[in-house]
Amino acid sequence: MPVMLDFHTCDVFTDTRFAGNPLAIVLGADDLTPGQMLTLAREFNLSETIFVQRPADPAHSARVRIFFPTAEIPFAGHPTIGCAIHLATAAETGTGDFDRRITLEEQAGLVPVRVWRRSGVTRAEFIAPVVPHGVAGASVAPAGLMADALGLQAGDIGFAGHQPGVWQGGPRFLYAPVRSLAALARARPIEPHWSQVIGAAGVDSIYLYTPGTDCDYRARMFSPTAGIPEDPATGSASAILAAQLLASAALPQGETRLTLHQGVEMGRPSVIGLTVQVRAGALAEVRIAGGAVPVSQGRIVVP
């Protein structure tokens, strides 16, 4: 009889099944090798799969490993939200309100997560384990080449003090502000320009954003070289967006709360809460919030 592990899937950054960003959560993964985890991530073939292990420190909730279908990554937002909500709700015996603290040991560092339920709605919010910062030596393509890489016109790149930039907070992303929702909807990766742009910037992914009509910013994220043609919701990129917004003079001193929408063009709308603390002109803390709903559960053979 083959060895099997329990798994659950959920949709993250949404309260509606079959929206948001799907996530696979594999439990009891202590004895899996990185190669086995990668094989299982490829089998699920979702943007990310999270593997739950015993914590190194028993005061913490779990150690987790997060994988793209192509490689392990040190930190990601939607696996953090989805896994924390799963662990917190699994510990609850009823359906009433609760407020619980979860601490996940991730490759990028400790990630504290608050999970709460009010009136039947469950939410989680984590503090980014790394304060977003610039990337030394990263090269940002001129607007014309950036536009070519995204199937847009040069005039579509940038708006109101926002220009492309590369920022890091565990993973790194190239941020491309675009002028309008119409331009955002037209965008798509175009080779060979795409590879030229991301190669010079030292990234796998480009995160596009523009002011929204029913939110603060609407976003899309493309990462085909990492096995993710388009991501419905990218929590890590949403956290690191704080650095891009600060550099664009779009964040005042003190606390700012923003609502981001992503995945709309894919038919998987996602809602991401971004809270940023700015002190003395610098980022002090970044938090990401969202919901998750369970979709499936089962057992999977260990490779």
Side-chain angles (χ1 to χ4, degrees):
M1 186 72 178
V3 178
M4 305 186 78
L5 295 175
D6 291 330
F7 74 86
H8 297 257
T9 71
C10 60
D11 290 331
V12 185
F13 292 121
T14 180
D15 296 325
T16 305
R17 289 184 178 90
F18 314 116
N21 200 349
L23 171 70
I25 304 166
V26 178
L27 304 177
D30 300 275
D31 296 327
L32 293 182
T33 66
Q36 289 173 310
M37 295 181 200
L38 182 58
T39 297
L40 291 175
R42 288 174 176 162
E43 181 70 17
F44 284 112
N45 200 32
L46 300 175
S47 61
E48 283 140 1
T49 298
I50 189 166
F51 296 87
V52 182
Q53 303 176 326
R54 290 185 298 271
D57 183 338
H60 301 150
S61 305
R63 181 187 183 205
V64 295
R65 306 279 292 271
I66 302 170
F67 281 76
F68 285 156
T70 55
E72 184 171 13
I73 55 175
F75 161 73
H78 102 273
T80 296
I81 292 284
C83 183
I85 287 178
H86 173 80
L87 294 176
T89 54
E92 295 294 318
T93 57
T95 58
D97 294 350
F98 68 84
D99 197 318
R100 183 179 289 270
R101 304 286 171 164
I102 299 288
T103 301
L104 299 178
E105 300 172 356
E106 302 194 14
Q107 298 289 86
L110 293 181
V111 184
V113 191
R114 177 188 170 214
V115 184
W116 68 95
R117 183 192 291 146
R118 297 289 181 272
S119 303
V121 177
T122 305
R123 288 284 183 273
E125 182 178 63
F126 68 81
I127 300 172
V130 178
V131 175
H133 55 86
V135 179
S139 176
V140 178
L145 182 55
M146 180 81 71
D148 289 341
L150 296 169
L152 300 174
Q153 301 298 314
D156 291 324
I157 304 299
F159 64 86
H162 294 246
Q163 295 300 322
V166 180
W167 305 95
Q168 181 170 320
R172 67 175 62 173
F173 296 88
L174 172 56
Y175 288 84
V178 297
R179 192 166 301 279
S180 66
L181 289 170
L184 186 72
R186 293 197 308 272
R188 66 202 188 283
I190 301 292
E191 292 288 8
H193 316 295
W194 172 272
S195 292
Q196 294 171 6
V197 168
I198 66 167
V203 300
D204 287 321
S205 313
I206 300 182
Y207 180 100
L208 295 80
Y209 70 98
T210 196
T213 55
D214 56 350
C215 61
D216 293 290
Y217 296 102
R218 171 93 68 85
R220 300 180 74 181
M221 202 285 287
F222 299 110
S223 191
T225 52
I228 306 169
E230 183 172 356
D231 200 28
T234 317
S236 56
S238 299
I240 300 166
L241 177 64
Q244 169 75 11
L245 296 178
L246 185 65
S248 305
L251 291 176
Q253 288 288 110
E255 182 173 282
T256 300
R257 293 178 178 268
L258 301 171
T259 299
L260 314 176
H261 287 181
Q262 191 178 332
V264 175
E265 293 78 9
M266 300 176 65
R268 294 196 67 97
S270 305
V271 180
I272 301 169
L274 169 63
T275 300
V276 185
Q277 289 278 356
V278 176
R279 299 176 192 143
L283 295 178
E285 183 179 272
V286 179
R287 305 195 304 273
I288 291 291
V293 288
V295 175
S296 69
Q297 60 182 329
R299 308 192 78 203
I300 191 165
V301 173
V302 173

